[in-house]
Amino acid sequence: MSATHATVAPSDIQPVAVKPRFRDNAWMDATTYDALYARSIDGPDTFWREQSQRLHWRQPPTQIRDIRWDKNDLHIRWFADGQLNAAENCIDRHLSAHADRVALYWEPDTPGEARVITYAALHQQVCKLANVLKHLGVRKGDRVTIYLPMIPEAVFAMLACARIGAIHSVVFGGFSPEAVAGRIADCGSSLVITADAGLRGGREIPLKANVDAALARPEAKAASKVLVVQHTGGAVDWHDGRDLWYHDLMATASEQCEPAVMNAEDPLFILYTSGSTGKPKGVLHTTGGYLTYASLTHQMVFDYHPGDIYWCTADVGWITGHTYLVYGPLANGATCVMSEGLPNWPDAARLGQIIDKFKVNTLYTAPTAIRALMAAGDGPLAQSRRDSLKLLATAGEPINPAAWHWFHDSVGHGGSAVVDTWWQTETGGVMITPLPGAHATKPGAAMRPFFGIRPALVDNDGTLIDGPGEGNLVILDSWPAQARTLWGDHQRFIDTYFTTFPGTYCSGDGARRDADGDYWITGRVDDVINVSGHRMGTAEIESALVSHPAVAEAAVVGYPHEIKGQGIYVYVSLTCDHSPSDELYAELRQWVRREIGAIATPDLIHWAPGLPKTRSGKIMRRILRKIAANEHDSLGDVSTLAEPAVVPQLVETRMNR
Ligand code: 6R9
């Protein structure tokens, strides 16, 4: 295994000191971090017992950790005898003191009037919807698929499921009907919650029509009811007996709904993510450990103080939207901004305008969004002041130092802390990050482990690397928010994360540790690529391509892309009765878009008469990556190939001229 792309050598980069505003008022300074980190590692039971007390438990846990990371006997339980309800923690317990505090400010796609939802209103909406779900027959443990745009109803839906103990599976609105059907089939959802359409950057996304197409497929037959939010008001096809208007049922629903008492290890949600094989993985998170960790990380990583206005731009369809738009901040009683659209639509001034409109103190976004804004230059920033900002955070992909500096210097006027947070769907919450009051930050580095997290580097043989070095990033011990399984495929969970380097959690990322002990994430070491901060399995795109009649064989790799971080580069060998053409090029792009969704659309298609393979028939992706990246002079050893002659041919026809 080796990392797919390299970052700048750490020694070139000067640390940026802790900002004055965090020196006195932050939750953590360097000394406190060091002491608390040491305690969290030396005495995890005590540390996590204390941390669990940040939640409201119906039955406080007496058992804290119960962990065996053995591939033959994997066992992960946190707070196992505790009982609680996630929605009660995110809403009800704030009501006595803060019922009128704003929980959500919702900014529409087109600049316009915001919706303002207080904690009292959130309680009312979630209770009503929870009753609607019950009325529709949803019971504890049932799965509900949520396929909604970035509107408050998405948050209501997640929390309504949590309130009655149903397991939500949010599917990103950009996914195709096929992808939705596959996810419904995998977890056997009985109900889909969707909207007539979504809006993003002025474009309509036909969500209801996509659900209709998904449910027309035989594999999605478990879903017998569709609850439809009227959002754009556009026309939709209607299936009597199956489709129900959200507003109709909400109109008569009761505002009283007792939260279900859940065990700490009861599932809270499933979230599908890409892996290195074709089928998406249904990552399962449970209740007590996940929520404890979401709440603690949200408070410490963003140095959240009551009254702060916090904006996370992530879509609820991704883990960042789950943990840091919904569960973490709401568990802490925070005021969140939720925006429907894109931070650079209608133009690049929008991000700053939203910051000013709500006086945002903390912005959590993705490097790809920063690069897209940066491409428009500093000009649009003149249309906003952004003087409320205190902290800028990123997640999802490595942030290149140029984007880091632009974020820090131009967006934040040099006065806001920048934190680069490394984590994954499977980790549930942030794992490696600077804390704004404790750490001078190095642009491009994810820096230090969070409390309770023991990262390590191992070489390809699994030997631990001491001191500075580069290798596979693993975690040596459990933390409360780690995923418990993959829905319906526990063996795949064990094989993917606990088998490669026995006794550790294998992240699938590569990292470098510098002489100060700071971590630099170098990228995936498997066949997963990261496009605009979205994880894509190359195998998924390949299997979509080979299902097209003209395609004999396909290989997909990532290549450096200025805005997206990585673009999707596709090598296609055609069947003998087809030949390359502009029409086929466009058709194949459309095909993948239709099969998976717009985020999987290939950026470049390279017509390849043959693919470099080993004698045993394995495609040599290492070589394909190099050719895609235009790094022809470092192709490495090609002597083991079955037909070495294909390599110069591919170099010659490299598309990205
Ligand atoms: C939160 C999230 C996880 C993958 C992960 C890694 C990449 C995430 C990163 C980062 C460098 C960071 N990644 N954060 N790479 N620096 N700060 O994005 O979850 O969608 O599951 O993706 O994203 O490769 O393995 P998820």
Short mmCIF file of all heavy atoms in Angstrom, two decimals, residues 319-320 396-398 420-425 509 521 524 530 535, ligand 1:
data_model
loop_
_atom_site.label_atom_id
_atom_site.label_comp_id
_atom_site.label_asym_id
_atom_site.label_seq_id
_atom_site.Cartn_x
_atom_site.Cartn_y
_atom_site.Cartn_z
N ILE A 319 -21.56 12.21 6.69
CA ILE A 319 -21.36 12.08 8.14
C ILE A 319 -21.13 13.45 8.79
O ILE A 319 -21.58 13.68 9.91
CB ILE A 319 -20.19 11.10 8.48
CG1 ILE A 319 -20.14 10.78 9.98
CG2 ILE A 319 -18.86 11.64 8.02
CD1 ILE A 319 -21.28 9.99 10.53
N THR A 320 -20.48 14.36 8.08
CA THR A 320 -20.24 15.68 8.70
C THR A 320 -21.57 16.36 9.00
O THR A 320 -21.73 17.01 10.04
CB THR A 320 -19.36 16.55 7.79
OG1 THR A 320 -18.22 15.79 7.41
CG2 THR A 320 -18.89 17.81 8.51
N GLY A 396 -12.88 16.50 5.35
CA GLY A 396 -13.29 15.75 4.17
C GLY A 396 -12.17 15.38 3.24
O GLY A 396 -12.24 14.40 2.52
N GLU A 397 -11.11 16.17 3.21
CA GLU A 397 -10.00 15.92 2.29
C GLU A 397 -8.82 16.76 2.77
O GLU A 397 -9.00 17.70 3.55
CB GLU A 397 -10.40 16.30 0.87
CG GLU A 397 -10.97 17.68 0.83
CD GLU A 397 -11.34 18.19 -0.56
OE1 GLU A 397 -10.63 17.88 -1.51
OE2 GLU A 397 -12.31 18.94 -0.64
N PRO A 398 -7.65 16.44 2.27
CA PRO A 398 -6.51 17.26 2.67
C PRO A 398 -6.70 18.69 2.19
O PRO A 398 -7.25 18.91 1.10
CB PRO A 398 -5.33 16.61 1.93
CG PRO A 398 -5.80 15.26 1.51
CD PRO A 398 -7.28 15.35 1.35
N ASP A 420 -8.03 21.95 10.83
CA ASP A 420 -8.20 20.94 9.79
C ASP A 420 -8.49 19.63 10.51
O ASP A 420 -7.64 19.12 11.24
CB ASP A 420 -6.90 20.88 8.98
CG ASP A 420 -6.83 19.70 8.01
OD1 ASP A 420 -7.84 19.01 7.84
OD2 ASP A 420 -5.75 19.49 7.43
N THR A 421 -9.69 19.10 10.33
CA THR A 421 -10.12 17.95 11.12
C THR A 421 -10.13 16.68 10.28
O THR A 421 -10.79 16.62 9.26
CB THR A 421 -11.55 18.19 11.66
OG1 THR A 421 -12.46 18.27 10.55
CG2 THR A 421 -11.64 19.47 12.46
N TRP A 422 -9.41 15.69 10.74
CA TRP A 422 -9.41 14.40 10.03
C TRP A 422 -10.33 13.41 10.73
O TRP A 422 -10.22 13.20 11.95
CB TRP A 422 -8.01 13.79 9.97
CG TRP A 422 -8.06 12.41 9.34
CD1 TRP A 422 -8.11 12.12 8.01
CD2 TRP A 422 -8.14 11.14 10.02
NE1 TRP A 422 -8.22 10.76 7.82
CE2 TRP A 422 -8.24 10.13 9.03
CE3 TRP A 422 -8.15 10.77 11.37
CZ2 TRP A 422 -8.32 8.77 9.34
CZ3 TRP A 422 -8.25 9.41 11.69
CH2 TRP A 422 -8.32 8.42 10.68
N TRP A 423 -11.18 12.80 9.95
CA TRP A 423 -12.04 11.73 10.47
C TRP A 423 -12.76 11.07 9.33
O TRP A 423 -12.49 11.37 8.16
CB TRP A 423 -12.99 12.26 11.54
CG TRP A 423 -13.92 13.36 11.14
CD1 TRP A 423 -13.58 14.62 10.72
CD2 TRP A 423 -15.35 13.31 11.12
NE1 TRP A 423 -14.71 15.35 10.46
CE2 TRP A 423 -15.81 14.58 10.69
CE3 TRP A 423 -16.30 12.34 11.44
CZ2 TRP A 423 -17.18 14.88 10.57
CZ3 TRP A 423 -17.64 12.63 11.33
CH2 TRP A 423 -18.07 13.90 10.89
N GLN A 424 -13.67 10.15 9.63
CA GLN A 424 -14.33 9.33 8.62
C GLN A 424 -15.75 8.99 9.05
O GLN A 424 -16.07 9.04 10.25
CB GLN A 424 -13.58 7.99 8.47
CG GLN A 424 -12.11 8.13 8.22
CD GLN A 424 -11.41 6.79 8.16
OE1 GLN A 424 -11.45 6.04 9.13
NE2 GLN A 424 -10.80 6.48 7.04
N THR A 425 -16.54 8.57 8.08
CA THR A 425 -17.90 8.10 8.40
C THR A 425 -17.82 7.06 9.53
O THR A 425 -18.62 7.08 10.46
CB THR A 425 -18.53 7.45 7.15
OG1 THR A 425 -18.49 8.40 6.09
CG2 THR A 425 -19.95 7.01 7.40
N ASP A 509 -6.30 5.25 5.25
CA ASP A 509 -5.55 6.45 4.87
C ASP A 509 -4.08 6.27 5.16
O ASP A 509 -3.70 5.50 6.05
CB ASP A 509 -6.04 7.67 5.68
CG ASP A 509 -7.30 8.27 5.08
OD1 ASP A 509 -7.41 8.32 3.85
OD2 ASP A 509 -8.17 8.70 5.85
N ILE A 521 -2.13 14.05 6.86
CA ILE A 521 -2.83 12.97 6.14
C ILE A 521 -2.40 13.06 4.67
O ILE A 521 -2.45 14.13 4.06
CB ILE A 521 -4.36 13.13 6.23
CG1 ILE A 521 -4.81 13.34 7.68
CG2 ILE A 521 -5.06 11.96 5.57
CD1 ILE A 521 -4.47 12.24 8.65
N ARG A 524 -5.87 8.41 0.62
CA ARG A 524 -6.27 7.01 0.72
C ARG A 524 -5.17 6.09 0.21
O ARG A 524 -4.44 6.42 -0.73
CB ARG A 524 -7.53 6.76 -0.12
CG ARG A 524 -8.73 7.56 0.29
CD ARG A 524 -9.34 7.16 1.59
NE ARG A 524 -9.69 5.75 1.67
CZ ARG A 524 -10.39 5.23 2.67
NH1 ARG A 524 -10.82 6.00 3.67
NH2 ARG A 524 -10.66 3.96 2.70
N ASN A 530 -11.25 10.68 -3.57
CA ASN A 530 -11.93 11.71 -2.82
C ASN A 530 -12.19 12.89 -3.75
O ASN A 530 -11.29 13.65 -4.07
CB ASN A 530 -11.02 12.13 -1.64
CG ASN A 530 -11.77 12.95 -0.62
OD1 ASN A 530 -12.59 13.79 -0.98
ND2 ASN A 530 -11.50 12.72 0.65
N ARG A 535 -16.35 10.72 -0.82
CA ARG A 535 -15.68 9.45 -1.03
C ARG A 535 -16.33 8.68 -2.16
O ARG A 535 -17.53 8.48 -2.14
CB ARG A 535 -15.81 8.62 0.23
CG ARG A 535 -14.61 8.59 1.04
CD ARG A 535 -15.00 8.10 2.39
NE ARG A 535 -14.95 6.66 2.45
CZ ARG A 535 -14.99 6.00 3.60
NH1 ARG A 535 -15.08 6.65 4.73
NH2 ARG A 535 -14.91 4.70 3.61
C1 6R9 B 1 -15.47 13.30 7.56
C2 6R9 B 1 -15.40 12.65 6.23
C3 6R9 B 1 -13.31 10.02 4.96
C4 6R9 B 1 -12.05 10.17 4.15
C5 6R9 B 1 -10.83 9.85 4.97
C6 6R9 B 1 -9.77 10.69 4.27
C7 6R9 B 1 -10.53 11.93 3.86
C8 6R9 B 1 -11.33 13.40 5.75
C9 6R9 B 1 -9.63 14.71 6.02
C10 6R9 B 1 -9.31 13.78 5.01
C11 6R9 B 1 -7.22 14.70 4.78
C12 6R9 B 1 -8.62 15.68 6.37
N1 6R9 B 1 -10.42 13.00 4.86
N2 6R9 B 1 -10.87 14.44 6.45
N3 6R9 B 1 -8.12 13.77 4.40
N4 6R9 B 1 -7.44 15.62 5.72
N5 6R9 B 1 -8.84 16.62 7.30
O1 6R9 B 1 -15.01 13.26 5.27
O2 6R9 B 1 -15.81 11.33 6.17
O3 6R9 B 1 -16.82 10.99 3.86
O4 6R9 B 1 -16.18 9.06 5.36
O5 6R9 B 1 -14.44 10.46 4.23
O6 6R9 B 1 -11.90 11.53 3.76
O7 6R9 B 1 -9.30 10.03 3.14
O8 6R9 B 1 -10.54 8.47 4.95
P1 6R9 B 1 -15.88 10.43 4.87
#
